């Protein structure tokens, strides 16, 4: 489950409670495109403890329930590295959360992982998504509702295709820029 690697990846940076993980996912982590609710985080933490990938210490609180603060174990570190180094297969859907997770949490472990994931994603996008989408034609449709204005509907379909093309073109440009920076050994502009 991808949430396991989000948790393991965050625990490489510091020890966190389940609540801290959720706060991160609602804040800076929301851009990875993988949102979950607090109960899901706690269920995954229980499973990760059972697997031996994380452990916890109890942090006593004066005016609140004690908190479990989780830390990465050696077997959790190995599981995260194994996932990060496994072959990345791009999704047909641009900007899939799996790319972002591998880029951030795999890439933070090894520069070459970040470069490989971005290069693989870029090559796939250039091959599959760089062409201008075909415009809808009236002869491709046979409206089933007499009140449907076919020209209006075709116009809306065209606008959605244009949005997808513009978004994907921008994404490809970002991938190219990012790959260039990573290969130059820079993460900051």
């Amino acid at each position: 489950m991808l949430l396991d690697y989000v948790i393991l990846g965050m625990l490489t940076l510091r020890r966190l409670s389940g609540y801290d993980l959720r706060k991160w996912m609602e804040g800076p982590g929301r851009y990875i495109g993988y949102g979950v609710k607090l109960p899901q985080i706690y269920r995954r933490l229980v499973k990760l403890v059972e697997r031996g990938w994380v452990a916890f210490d109890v942090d006593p609180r004066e005016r609140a329930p004690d908190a479990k603060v989780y830390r990465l174990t050696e077997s959790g570190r190995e599981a995260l590295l194994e996932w990060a180094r496994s072959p990345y297969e791009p999704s047909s859907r641009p900007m899939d959360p799996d790319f972002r997770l591998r880029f951030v949490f795999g890439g933070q472990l090894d520069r070459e992982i970040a470069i490989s994931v971005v290069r693989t994603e870029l090559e796939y996008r250039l091959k599959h998504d760089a062409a201008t989408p075909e415009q809808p034609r009236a002869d491709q449709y046979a409206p089933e509702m007499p009140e449907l204005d076919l020209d209006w509907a075709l116009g809306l379909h065209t606008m959605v295709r244009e949005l997808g093309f513009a978004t994907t073109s921008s994404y490809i440009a970002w991938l190219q820029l990012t790959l260039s920076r990573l290969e130059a050994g820079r993460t900051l502009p």
Side-chain angles (χ1 to χ4, degrees), residues 101-145:
L101 296 178
R102 283 180 180 266
F103 175 67
V104 171
F105 296 118
Q108 75 185 14
L109 303 174
D110 184 334
R111 177 177 177 242
E112 292 306 315
I113 292 172
I115 291 170
S116 175
V117 168
V118 171
R119 184 178 291 127
T120 301
E121 181 75 2
L122 176 59
E123 289 170 359
Y124 183 91
R125 295 298 150 215
L126 289 172
K127 182 177 179 182
H128 294 91
D129 297 327
T132 304
E134 179 184 327
Q135 297 298 318
R137 296 188 333 256
D139 65 350
Q140 294 174 323
Y141 296 91
E144 294 290 321
M145 294 178 66

Side-chain angles (χ1 to χ4, degrees), residues 14-181:
R14 68 183 181 115
R15 296 174 182 214
L16 296 163
S17 68
Y19 177 76
D20 293 332
L21 284 162
R22 179 64 186 147
K23 271 183 23 184
W24 177 83
M25 291 186 86
E26 288 176 342
R30 71 184 179 273
Y31 296 108
I32 64 172
Y34 191 80
V36 294
K37 302 290 183 207
L38 193 56
Q40 293 171 285
I41 292 171
Y42 284 124
R43 282 194 298 272
R44 292 316 307 164
L45 284 166
V46 167
K47 296 290 185 189
L48 293 172
V49 168
E50 289 172 358
R51 284 187 188 150
W53 290 3
V54 301
F56 65 88
D57 298 305
V58 176
D59 183 22
R61 309 277 169 99
E62 278 188 33
R63 295 195 173 120
D66 294 347
K68 291 180 181 177
V69 180
Y70 295 87
R71 66 184 183 286
L72 192 65
T73 65
E74 181 59 30
S75 61
R77 180 187 161 284
E78 291 169 9
L80 182 62
L81 282 167
E82 182 179 330
W83 167 76
R85 291 179 176 148
S86 67
Y88 169 64
E89 295 291 329
S91 167
S92 61
R93 180 178 63 178
M95 295 166 273
D96 187 72
D98 186 44
F99 165 75
R100 294 177 193 185
L101 296 178
R102 283 180 180 266
F103 175 67
V104 171
F105 296 118
Q108 75 185 14
L109 303 174
D110 184 334
R111 177 177 177 242
E112 292 306 315
I113 292 172
I115 291 170
S116 175
V117 168
V118 171
R119 184 178 291 127
T120 301
E121 181 75 2
L122 176 59
E123 289 170 359
Y124 183 91
R125 295 298 150 215
L126 289 172
K127 182 177 179 182
H128 294 91
D129 297 327
T132 304
E134 179 184 327
Q135 297 298 318
R137 296 188 333 256
D139 65 350
Q140 294 174 323
Y141 296 91
E144 294 290 321
M145 294 178 66
E147 63 272 14
L148 182 83
D149 180 339
L150 185 57
D151 289 335
W152 176 259
L154 290 173
L156 295 175
H157 285 254
T158 297
M159 290 178 210
V160 166
R161 282 186 172 83
E162 290 169 347
L163 172 62
F165 180 72
T167 303
T168 303
S169 296
S170 175
Y171 180 52
I172 288 170
W174 176 85
L175 288 166
Q176 291 168 326
L177 176 63
T178 299
L179 183 59
S180 175
R181 284 172 47 191

